[in-house]
Amino acid sequence: MLPHTLFIGQQLYFLPVCESTNSEAQQLLIKNEATEGCTVITHQQTKGRGQRGNSWEAEPGKNVTLSVILSPSFLAARQQFYLNIAVSLAVFDLIREQGLHEAQIKWPNDLFYEGKKLGGILIENTINSYTLQHSIIGIGLNVNQLYFDYTTATSMRNVTGDTLNVEKVTVRLLELLEKRYLELRNGKMSKQRQEYLQALFRYQEVHPFLVDDQQVQGQIVGVDENGCLAVEIENKLRYFAFKEISYIL
């Protein structure tokens, strides 16, 4: 079942088992065997990677696990977080379509439902001079898995009670990803940034965070063009990169 797209998912590799779809996609690039939109899908990753070097837990055959190769040369290196925004919104769109209307995006690119993780995104970029040459978009989305080692994870089935067709969910995700990517390519950066903020977990709410091993009270007020989280702490606006601040859930 191929998606109704122009290029994303039209070149498709399915591997029943692999270490990492991002690693497989990287090998296709190295061998010059991938066109833009090339997609690698697996039922089981043995060494799936998440943000900050974390592993990705997924029960075989019950979730979406894939990587897509893009060539966003229209983005300057300093604009790479806009790709993060577009991809996050595509996964967010899919989750909302499945009836999970309270879903949110947790900065920088996790998908959450009522404080629990539904999915995650890992983007690995290759920079050519001042622009992005290639991007490998890794997406993991919990669909039908019921039990997790971590109490902070959940799935769409856990929320809705419905068993979903993983293949159809995958196809729809690729369609929505292309839609958001083409929006980005057509210069809709400001629009997408605003949508991202409106979907952001704990946006404009006061909550505890961990900064330099200290618990602080802060309020997320935005995300700058470099992808840094803008948080107001003790009436001062501070900006944090990915590993410099942690949520306390």
Side-chain angles (χ1 to χ4, degrees), residues 80-109:
Q80 59 188 282
F81 193 74
Y82 282 105
L83 180 61
N84 188 104
I85 288 174
V87 175
S88 297
L89 286 173
V91 186
F92 176 73
D93 292 342
L94 172 76
I95 293 170
R96 293 286 296 266
E97 278 191 359
Q98 300 300 321
L100 286 77
H101 300 295
E102 303 303 316
Q104 293 178 295
I105 299 169
K106 175 176 168 287
W107 175 87
N109 49 17

PDB file of all heavy atoms in Angstrom, residues 80-109:
ATOM      1  N   GLN A  80      17.530  24.887  10.633  1.00  0.00           N
ATOM      2  CA  GLN A  80      17.196  23.468  10.648  1.00  0.00           C
ATOM      3  C   GLN A  80      16.093  23.109  11.629  1.00  0.00           C
ATOM      4  O   GLN A  80      15.410  22.100  11.454  1.00  0.00           O
ATOM      5  CB  GLN A  80      18.448  22.626  10.903  1.00  0.00           C
ATOM      6  CG  GLN A  80      19.181  22.897  12.176  1.00  0.00           C
ATOM      7  CD  GLN A  80      20.511  22.146  12.226  1.00  0.00           C
ATOM      8  OE1 GLN A  80      20.554  20.955  12.495  1.00  0.00           O
ATOM      9  NE2 GLN A  80      21.605  22.852  11.941  1.00  0.00           N
ATOM     10  N   PHE A  81      15.876  23.926  12.667  1.00  0.00           N
ATOM     11  CA  PHE A  81      14.801  23.591  13.602  1.00  0.00           C
ATOM     12  C   PHE A  81      13.428  23.707  12.948  1.00  0.00           C
ATOM     13  O   PHE A  81      12.468  23.089  13.400  1.00  0.00           O
ATOM     14  CB  PHE A  81      14.855  24.470  14.854  1.00  0.00           C
ATOM     15  CG  PHE A  81      13.962  23.954  15.954  1.00  0.00           C
ATOM     16  CD1 PHE A  81      14.309  22.821  16.683  1.00  0.00           C
ATOM     17  CD2 PHE A  81      12.757  24.576  16.258  1.00  0.00           C
ATOM     18  CE1 PHE A  81      13.490  22.331  17.682  1.00  0.00           C
ATOM     19  CE2 PHE A  81      11.938  24.090  17.264  1.00  0.00           C
ATOM     20  CZ  PHE A  81      12.305  22.960  17.981  1.00  0.00           C
ATOM     21  N   TYR A  82      13.335  24.465  11.858  1.00  0.00           N
ATOM     22  CA  TYR A  82      12.046  24.547  11.161  1.00  0.00           C
ATOM     23  C   TYR A  82      11.661  23.200  10.560  1.00  0.00           C
ATOM     24  O   TYR A  82      10.464  22.891  10.442  1.00  0.00           O
ATOM     25  CB  TYR A  82      12.092  25.625  10.075  1.00  0.00           C
ATOM     26  CG  TYR A  82      11.960  27.021  10.631  1.00  0.00           C
ATOM     27  CD1 TYR A  82      13.072  27.860  10.713  1.00  0.00           C
ATOM     28  CD2 TYR A  82      10.739  27.492  11.095  1.00  0.00           C
ATOM     29  CE1 TYR A  82      12.949  29.141  11.237  1.00  0.00           C
ATOM     30  CE2 TYR A  82      10.607  28.770  11.618  1.00  0.00           C
ATOM     31  CZ  TYR A  82      11.725  29.592  11.689  1.00  0.00           C
ATOM     32  OH  TYR A  82      11.600  30.849  12.220  1.00  0.00           O
ATOM     33  N   LEU A  83      12.636  22.400  10.186  1.00  0.00           N
ATOM     34  CA  LEU A  83      12.328  21.045   9.727  1.00  0.00           C
ATOM     35  C   LEU A  83      11.781  20.226  10.885  1.00  0.00           C
ATOM     36  O   LEU A  83      10.820  19.462  10.724  1.00  0.00           O
ATOM     37  CB  LEU A  83      13.580  20.393   9.147  1.00  0.00           C
ATOM     38  CG  LEU A  83      13.415  18.965   8.622  1.00  0.00           C
ATOM     39  CD1 LEU A  83      12.401  18.907   7.477  1.00  0.00           C
ATOM     40  CD2 LEU A  83      14.761  18.400   8.158  1.00  0.00           C
ATOM     41  N   ASN A  84      12.366  20.388  12.042  1.00  0.00           N
ATOM     42  CA  ASN A  84      11.887  19.731  13.257  1.00  0.00           C
ATOM     43  C   ASN A  84      10.422  20.087  13.515  1.00  0.00           C
ATOM     44  O   ASN A  84       9.588  19.225  13.856  1.00  0.00           O
ATOM     45  CB  ASN A  84      12.754  20.176  14.429  1.00  0.00           C
ATOM     46  CG  ASN A  84      12.495  19.424  15.703  1.00  0.00           C
ATOM     47  OD1 ASN A  84      13.279  18.565  16.092  1.00  0.00           O
ATOM     48  ND2 ASN A  84      11.405  19.732  16.374  1.00  0.00           N
ATOM     49  N   ILE A  85      10.104  21.361  13.345  1.00  0.00           N
ATOM     50  CA  ILE A  85       8.733  21.831  13.559  1.00  0.00           C
ATOM     51  C   ILE A  85       7.774  21.164  12.567  1.00  0.00           C
ATOM     52  O   ILE A  85       6.714  20.661  12.949  1.00  0.00           O
ATOM     53  CB  ILE A  85       8.668  23.367  13.430  1.00  0.00           C
ATOM     54  CG1 ILE A  85       9.329  24.025  14.645  1.00  0.00           C
ATOM     55  CG2 ILE A  85       7.219  23.844  13.277  1.00  0.00           C
ATOM     56  CD1 ILE A  85       9.439  25.538  14.540  1.00  0.00           C
ATOM     57  N   ALA A  86       8.147  21.151  11.287  1.00  0.00           N
ATOM     58  CA  ALA A  86       7.273  20.582  10.252  1.00  0.00           C
ATOM     59  C   ALA A  86       7.005  19.105  10.504  1.00  0.00           C
ATOM     60  O   ALA A  86       5.864  18.634  10.388  1.00  0.00           O
ATOM     61  CB  ALA A  86       7.894  20.785   8.874  1.00  0.00           C
ATOM     62  N   VAL A  87       8.050  18.354  10.859  1.00  0.00           N
ATOM     63  CA  VAL A  87       7.887  16.919  11.111  1.00  0.00           C
ATOM     64  C   VAL A  87       7.039  16.684  12.352  1.00  0.00           C
ATOM     65  O   VAL A  87       6.144  15.825  12.358  1.00  0.00           O
ATOM     66  CB  VAL A  87       9.269  16.238  11.242  1.00  0.00           C
ATOM     67  CG1 VAL A  87       9.099  14.773  11.615  1.00  0.00           C
ATOM     68  CG2 VAL A  87      10.049  16.372   9.949  1.00  0.00           C
ATOM     69  N   SER A  88       7.299  17.444  13.405  1.00  0.00           N
ATOM     70  CA  SER A  88       6.511  17.307  14.631  1.00  0.00           C
ATOM     71  C   SER A  88       5.031  17.561  14.367  1.00  0.00           C
ATOM     72  O   SER A  88       4.159  16.845  14.873  1.00  0.00           O
ATOM     73  CB  SER A  88       7.026  18.277  15.699  1.00  0.00           C
ATOM     74  OG  SER A  88       8.351  17.994  16.062  1.00  0.00           O
ATOM     75  N   LEU A  89       4.749  18.575  13.546  1.00  0.00           N
ATOM     76  CA  LEU A  89       3.355  18.889  13.229  1.00  0.00           C
ATOM     77  C   LEU A  89       2.708  17.781  12.409  1.00  0.00           C
ATOM     78  O   LEU A  89       1.512  17.493  12.587  1.00  0.00           O
ATOM     79  CB  LEU A  89       3.274  20.216  12.470  1.00  0.00           C
ATOM     80  CG  LEU A  89       3.497  21.473  13.304  1.00  0.00           C
ATOM     81  CD1 LEU A  89       3.567  22.701  12.406  1.00  0.00           C
ATOM     82  CD2 LEU A  89       2.406  21.645  14.358  1.00  0.00           C
ATOM     83  N   ALA A  90       3.465  17.135  11.533  1.00  0.00           N
ATOM     84  CA  ALA A  90       2.904  16.038  10.732  1.00  0.00           C
ATOM     85  C   ALA A  90       2.468  14.883  11.629  1.00  0.00           C
ATOM     86  O   ALA A  90       1.370  14.333  11.468  1.00  0.00           O
ATOM     87  CB  ALA A  90       3.931  15.554   9.714  1.00  0.00           C
ATOM     88  N   VAL A  91       3.316  14.511  12.585  1.00  0.00           N
ATOM     89  CA  VAL A  91       2.956  13.428  13.506  1.00  0.00           C
ATOM     90  C   VAL A  91       1.799  13.867  14.405  1.00  0.00           C
ATOM     91  O   VAL A  91       0.877  13.092  14.677  1.00  0.00           O
ATOM     92  CB  VAL A  91       4.169  12.991  14.347  1.00  0.00           C
ATOM     93  CG1 VAL A  91       3.809  11.775  15.195  1.00  0.00           C
ATOM     94  CG2 VAL A  91       5.361  12.659  13.462  1.00  0.00           C
ATOM     95  N   PHE A  92       1.837  15.106  14.834  1.00  0.00           N
ATOM     96  CA  PHE A  92       0.751  15.678  15.639  1.00  0.00           C
ATOM     97  C   PHE A  92      -0.574  15.635  14.873  1.00  0.00           C
ATOM     98  O   PHE A  92      -1.611  15.248  15.426  1.00  0.00           O
ATOM     99  CB  PHE A  92       1.117  17.120  16.000  1.00  0.00           C
ATOM    100  CG  PHE A  92       0.059  17.879  16.751  1.00  0.00           C
ATOM    101  CD1 PHE A  92      -0.205  17.600  18.077  1.00  0.00           C
ATOM    102  CD2 PHE A  92      -0.657  18.889  16.127  1.00  0.00           C
ATOM    103  CE1 PHE A  92      -1.171  18.323  18.779  1.00  0.00           C
ATOM    104  CE2 PHE A  92      -1.612  19.612  16.809  1.00  0.00           C
ATOM    105  CZ  PHE A  92      -1.879  19.322  18.140  1.00  0.00           C
ATOM    106  N   ASP A  93      -0.543  16.013  13.588  1.00  0.00           N
ATOM    107  CA  ASP A  93      -1.748  15.962  12.748  1.00  0.00           C
ATOM    108  C   ASP A  93      -2.320  14.546  12.711  1.00  0.00           C
ATOM    109  O   ASP A  93      -3.543  14.354  12.812  1.00  0.00           O
ATOM    110  CB  ASP A  93      -1.422  16.402  11.319  1.00  0.00           C
ATOM    111  CG  ASP A  93      -1.062  17.872  11.207  1.00  0.00           C
ATOM    112  OD1 ASP A  93      -1.381  18.646  12.127  1.00  0.00           O
ATOM    113  OD2 ASP A  93      -0.439  18.242  10.190  1.00  0.00           O
ATOM    114  N   LEU A  94      -1.434  13.567  12.534  1.00  0.00           N
ATOM    115  CA  LEU A  94      -1.883  12.175  12.461  1.00  0.00           C
ATOM    116  C   LEU A  94      -2.564  11.750  13.754  1.00  0.00           C
ATOM    117  O   LEU A  94      -3.649  11.158  13.736  1.00  0.00           O
ATOM    118  CB  LEU A  94      -0.687  11.259  12.183  1.00  0.00           C
ATOM    119  CG  LEU A  94      -1.002   9.762  12.281  1.00  0.00           C
ATOM    120  CD1 LEU A  94      -1.760   9.295  11.060  1.00  0.00           C
ATOM    121  CD2 LEU A  94       0.258   8.936  12.461  1.00  0.00           C
ATOM    122  N   ILE A  95      -1.949  12.051  14.870  1.00  0.00           N
ATOM    123  CA  ILE A  95      -2.504  11.651  16.165  1.00  0.00           C
ATOM    124  C   ILE A  95      -3.863  12.303  16.384  1.00  0.00           C
ATOM    125  O   ILE A  95      -4.809  11.653  16.851  1.00  0.00           O
ATOM    126  CB  ILE A  95      -1.520  12.013  17.288  1.00  0.00           C
ATOM    127  CG1 ILE A  95      -0.251  11.156  17.172  1.00  0.00           C
ATOM    128  CG2 ILE A  95      -2.153  11.813  18.652  1.00  0.00           C
ATOM    129  CD1 ILE A  95       0.871  11.604  18.087  1.00  0.00           C
ATOM    130  N   ARG A  96      -3.980  13.564  16.037  1.00  0.00           N
ATOM    131  CA  ARG A  96      -5.260  14.255  16.192  1.00  0.00           C
ATOM    132  C   ARG A  96      -6.327  13.635  15.279  1.00  0.00           C
ATOM    133  O   ARG A  96      -7.492  13.513  15.667  1.00  0.00           O
ATOM    134  CB  ARG A  96      -5.096  15.747  15.874  1.00  0.00           C
ATOM    135  CG  ARG A  96      -4.231  16.500  16.870  1.00  0.00           C
ATOM    136  CD  ARG A  96      -4.927  16.752  18.186  1.00  0.00           C
ATOM    137  NE  ARG A  96      -6.074  17.615  18.030  1.00  0.00           N
ATOM    138  CZ  ARG A  96      -6.047  18.944  18.192  1.00  0.00           C
ATOM    139  NH1 ARG A  96      -4.915  19.542  18.499  1.00  0.00           N
ATOM    140  NH2 ARG A  96      -7.140  19.655  18.042  1.00  0.00           N
ATOM    141  N   GLU A  97      -5.935  13.239  14.071  1.00  0.00           N
ATOM    142  CA  GLU A  97      -6.884  12.593  13.157  1.00  0.00           C
ATOM    143  C   GLU A  97      -7.434  11.291  13.734  1.00  0.00           C
ATOM    144  O   GLU A  97      -8.562  10.895  13.415  1.00  0.00           O
ATOM    145  CB  GLU A  97      -6.212  12.286  11.815  1.00  0.00           C
ATOM    146  CG  GLU A  97      -6.151  13.443  10.868  1.00  0.00           C
ATOM    147  CD  GLU A  97      -5.720  13.023   9.470  1.00  0.00           C
ATOM    148  OE1 GLU A  97      -5.449  11.827   9.237  1.00  0.00           O
ATOM    149  OE2 GLU A  97      -5.653  13.911   8.593  1.00  0.00           O
ATOM    150  N   GLN A  98      -6.640  10.620  14.558  1.00  0.00           N
ATOM    151  CA  GLN A  98      -7.063   9.351  15.144  1.00  0.00           C
ATOM    152  C   GLN A  98      -7.942   9.561  16.381  1.00  0.00           C
ATOM    153  O   GLN A  98      -8.290   8.596  17.070  1.00  0.00           O
ATOM    154  CB  GLN A  98      -5.841   8.505  15.512  1.00  0.00           C
ATOM    155  CG  GLN A  98      -4.944   8.151  14.340  1.00  0.00           C
ATOM    156  CD  GLN A  98      -5.673   7.357  13.266  1.00  0.00           C
ATOM    157  OE1 GLN A  98      -6.496   6.498  13.550  1.00  0.00           O
ATOM    158  NE2 GLN A  98      -5.359   7.648  12.007  1.00  0.00           N
ATOM    159  N   GLY A  99      -8.293  10.794  16.669  1.00  0.00           N
ATOM    160  CA  GLY A  99      -9.226  11.085  17.759  1.00  0.00           C
ATOM    161  C   GLY A  99      -8.581  11.502  19.059  1.00  0.00           C
ATOM    162  O   GLY A  99      -9.295  11.749  20.041  1.00  0.00           O
ATOM    163  N   LEU A 100      -7.270  11.610  19.107  1.00  0.00           N
ATOM    164  CA  LEU A 100      -6.584  12.013  20.333  1.00  0.00           C
ATOM    165  C   LEU A 100      -6.409  13.533  20.342  1.00  0.00           C
ATOM    166  O   LEU A 100      -5.333  14.082  20.124  1.00  0.00           O
ATOM    167  CB  LEU A 100      -5.222  11.303  20.448  1.00  0.00           C
ATOM    168  CG  LEU A 100      -5.273   9.817  20.826  1.00  0.00           C
ATOM    169  CD1 LEU A 100      -5.677   8.964  19.621  1.00  0.00           C
ATOM    170  CD2 LEU A 100      -3.929   9.342  21.334  1.00  0.00           C
ATOM    171  N   HIS A 101      -7.510  14.217  20.583  1.00  0.00           N
ATOM    172  CA  HIS A 101      -7.543  15.664  20.416  1.00  0.00           C
ATOM    173  C   HIS A 101      -6.773  16.420  21.486  1.00  0.00           C
ATOM    174  O   HIS A 101      -6.493  17.614  21.329  1.00  0.00           O
ATOM    175  CB  HIS A 101      -8.990  16.144  20.361  1.00  0.00           C
ATOM    176  CG  HIS A 101      -9.782  15.551  19.223  1.00  0.00           C
ATOM    177  ND1 HIS A 101      -9.486  15.816  17.904  1.00  0.00           N
ATOM    178  CD2 HIS A 101     -10.828  14.681  19.215  1.00  0.00           C
ATOM    179  CE1 HIS A 101     -10.325  15.146  17.122  1.00  0.00           C
ATOM    180  NE2 HIS A 101     -11.148  14.443  17.894  1.00  0.00           N
ATOM    181  N   GLU A 102      -6.429  15.744  22.584  1.00  0.00           N
ATOM    182  CA  GLU A 102      -5.680  16.402  23.651  1.00  0.00           C
ATOM    183  C   GLU A 102      -4.177  16.184  23.506  1.00  0.00           C
ATOM    184  O   GLU A 102      -3.410  16.532  24.406  1.00  0.00           O
ATOM    185  CB  GLU A 102      -6.148  15.877  25.017  1.00  0.00           C
ATOM    186  CG  GLU A 102      -7.640  16.057  25.278  1.00  0.00           C
ATOM    187  CD  GLU A 102      -8.082  17.507  25.164  1.00  0.00           C
ATOM    188  OE1 GLU A 102      -7.372  18.381  25.692  1.00  0.00           O
ATOM    189  OE2 GLU A 102      -9.132  17.763  24.543  1.00  0.00           O
ATOM    190  N   ALA A 103      -3.745  15.606  22.400  1.00  0.00           N
ATOM    191  CA  ALA A 103      -2.316  15.366  22.183  1.00  0.00           C
ATOM    192  C   ALA A 103      -1.565  16.692  22.117  1.00  0.00           C
ATOM    193  O   ALA A 103      -2.115  17.728  21.740  1.00  0.00           O
ATOM    194  CB  ALA A 103      -2.103  14.566  20.904  1.00  0.00           C
ATOM    195  N   GLN A 104      -0.284  16.633  22.487  1.00  0.00           N
ATOM    196  CA  GLN A 104       0.564  17.819  22.454  1.00  0.00           C
ATOM    197  C   GLN A 104       1.970  17.437  21.988  1.00  0.00           C
ATOM    198  O   GLN A 104       2.341  16.265  21.988  1.00  0.00           O
ATOM    199  CB  GLN A 104       0.645  18.458  23.856  1.00  0.00           C
ATOM    200  CG  GLN A 104      -0.669  19.048  24.336  1.00  0.00           C
ATOM    201  CD  GLN A 104      -0.557  19.611  25.741  1.00  0.00           C
ATOM    202  OE1 GLN A 104      -0.334  18.882  26.690  1.00  0.00           O
ATOM    203  NE2 GLN A 104      -0.692  20.924  25.858  1.00  0.00           N
ATOM    204  N   ILE A 105       2.728  18.453  21.603  1.00  0.00           N
ATOM    205  CA  ILE A 105       4.139  18.269  21.237  1.00  0.00           C
ATOM    206  C   ILE A 105       4.985  18.699  22.423  1.00  0.00           C
ATOM    207  O   ILE A 105       4.851  19.818  22.907  1.00  0.00           O
ATOM    208  CB  ILE A 105       4.509  19.105  20.001  1.00  0.00           C
ATOM    209  CG1 ILE A 105       3.668  18.697  18.793  1.00  0.00           C
ATOM    210  CG2 ILE A 105       5.998  18.961  19.693  1.00  0.00           C
ATOM    211  CD1 ILE A 105       3.793  19.645  17.603  1.00  0.00           C
ATOM    212  N   LYS A 106       5.833  17.816  22.897  1.00  0.00           N
ATOM    213  CA  LYS A 106       6.744  18.166  23.987  1.00  0.00           C
ATOM    214  C   LYS A 106       8.091  18.540  23.375  1.00  0.00           C
ATOM    215  O   LYS A 106       8.688  17.741  22.663  1.00  0.00           O
ATOM    216  CB  LYS A 106       6.900  16.993  24.956  1.00  0.00           C
ATOM    217  CG  LYS A 106       7.920  17.208  26.079  1.00  0.00           C
ATOM    218  CD  LYS A 106       7.912  16.029  27.031  1.00  0.00           C
ATOM    219  CE  LYS A 106       9.097  16.055  27.974  1.00  0.00           C
ATOM    220  NZ  LYS A 106      10.371  15.715  27.298  1.00  0.00           N
ATOM    221  N   TRP A 107       8.536  19.755  23.647  1.00  0.00           N
ATOM    222  CA  TRP A 107       9.779  20.252  23.082  1.00  0.00           C
ATOM    223  C   TRP A 107      10.929  19.303  23.402  1.00  0.00           C
ATOM    224  O   TRP A 107      11.020  18.778  24.515  1.00  0.00           O
ATOM    225  CB  TRP A 107      10.071  21.637  23.673  1.00  0.00           C
ATOM    226  CG  TRP A 107      11.380  22.216  23.262  1.00  0.00           C
ATOM    227  CD1 TRP A 107      11.629  22.953  22.141  1.00  0.00           C
ATOM    228  CD2 TRP A 107      12.625  22.125  23.960  1.00  0.00           C
ATOM    229  NE1 TRP A 107      12.949  23.326  22.112  1.00  0.00           N
ATOM    230  CE2 TRP A 107      13.589  22.823  23.217  1.00  0.00           C
ATOM    231  CE3 TRP A 107      13.016  21.509  25.155  1.00  0.00           C
ATOM    232  CZ2 TRP A 107      14.920  22.937  23.616  1.00  0.00           C
ATOM    233  CZ3 TRP A 107      14.339  21.610  25.560  1.00  0.00           C
ATOM    234  CH2 TRP A 107      15.276  22.313  24.793  1.00  0.00           C
ATOM    235  N   PRO A 108      11.794  18.992  22.421  1.00  0.00           N
ATOM    236  CA  PRO A 108      11.743  19.573  21.071  1.00  0.00           C
ATOM    237  C   PRO A 108      10.857  18.812  20.093  1.00  0.00           C
ATOM    238  O   PRO A 108      10.315  19.391  19.182  1.00  0.00           O
ATOM    239  CB  PRO A 108      13.202  19.510  20.623  1.00  0.00           C
ATOM    240  CG  PRO A 108      13.754  18.326  21.350  1.00  0.00           C
ATOM    241  CD  PRO A 108      13.051  18.279  22.682  1.00  0.00           C
ATOM    242  N   ASN A 109      10.698  17.480  20.273  1.00  0.00           N
ATOM    243  CA  ASN A 109       9.956  16.739  19.245  1.00  0.00           C
ATOM    244  C   ASN A 109       9.430  15.390  19.730  1.00  0.00           C
ATOM    245  O   ASN A 109       9.493  14.400  19.008  1.00  0.00           O
ATOM    246  CB  ASN A 109      10.840  16.538  17.999  1.00  0.00           C
ATOM    247  CG  ASN A 109      12.222  16.007  18.344  1.00  0.00           C
ATOM    248  OD1 ASN A 109      12.452  15.498  19.438  1.00  0.00           O
ATOM    249  ND2 ASN A 109      13.142  16.121  17.417  1.00  0.00           N
TER     250      ASN A 109
END
